[in-house]
Amino acid sequence: MNDFIPAFDFQSVVVEPWTFDAGGVFWIILMGFLANATCGIVGTFLVYRRMALVGDAISHSLLPGIVLAFLITSSRDSFPMMIGAIIAGAFTVFLIEAIHRSSRVKPDAALGIVFSFLFAVGVIMLALFADRVDLDPDCVLYGEIGFIPLMDTVSLGGMELGPRPVVLMGSVFLIAAVLTIVFYKGLLVTSFDPALALSLGIRVNFYHYGLMAVLSLSVVSAFEAVGAILVIAMLIFPAVTASMVTDRLPFILVLTLPLAFVYSVAGYHLALWLDTSIAGAMVVVATLIFGLLWIVSPRQGLIIKGIQLLRSA
């Protein structure tokens, strides 16, 4: 067992990182928190719209958009990457809807067709233009939050705000939070009852494509930290975990923030202990918390359901 799981040393795993490199640890954990919180807010509406896997489709389909942005601008700057990713995300959603509505193909099958096709196009483009595209496929797929460039900082009015990836992720978090507050009622109605929303004159498509645009923005912002694959977990886990505690949407949205904090801090130290990927460790922590609440939740936990079953027998 010791060959697989190293001995836990509280001093080296918890104390020393904050003693010798507190600044670097702070920025990495803040980046993890912002990525988890942003994806958690957006992912809550995806889960309640039963579109959780659309995030999966979009996260993979963004690849051709990012590659195309590189080819056109010859720049690794985040702005053209985001524009390319958002266009690819919007095209993905449009294509899924078009196939589903104009044929007998079910939504999940349409999603599978579009996601696999666009991801394959992205992989082929990477292979064809490998000499012109300075983009690592492993970085796009898996990310590595521990390697975010901390020296590339952003300043505003002479005041240093922090590393560029963290500032970018923080900006996207604020955009997602503000848009959620401003458009909360419309998002609520269109998520739970689109027919009622239409009867009330609410523009369902406006909210649908707006949510997809923010989703694309969130996913591409989190690429560098967690990659396209692990970002799916961050879209889904906060919402489904919080729903084990409450069924009120405002509380679920608020609970995504402390959950994001716990995922980030516990995931970082778990990765140090096991000497593994920080983003992967965050997802493991998210899974463990969900599994714990799945068992002990006072509302829908396995224990309470077992007791209710015994009483009704």
Side-chain angles (χ1 to χ4, degrees), residues 1 17 44 126 165 171 199-200 215 240 256-257 263 289 310 312:
M1 180 65 76
T44 297
L126 271 181
S171 302
S199 69
L200 293 174
L215 170 64
V240 297
T256 59
L257 301 183
Y263 296 165
I289 294 174
L310 288 174
S312 62

Side-chain angles (χ1 to χ4, degrees), residues 6 43 48-49 66 95 145 156 160 164 166 170 181 198 211 216-217 219 224 233 245 250 304:
Y48 280 92
R49 287 168 178 247
I66 293 174
L95 213 52
I145 195 170
L156 181 63
E160 191 173 285
R164 184 180 296 277
V166 181
I181 293 170
L198 276 175
L211 180 63
S216 301
L217 191 64
V219 169
E224 194 169 16
V245 180
I304 196 68

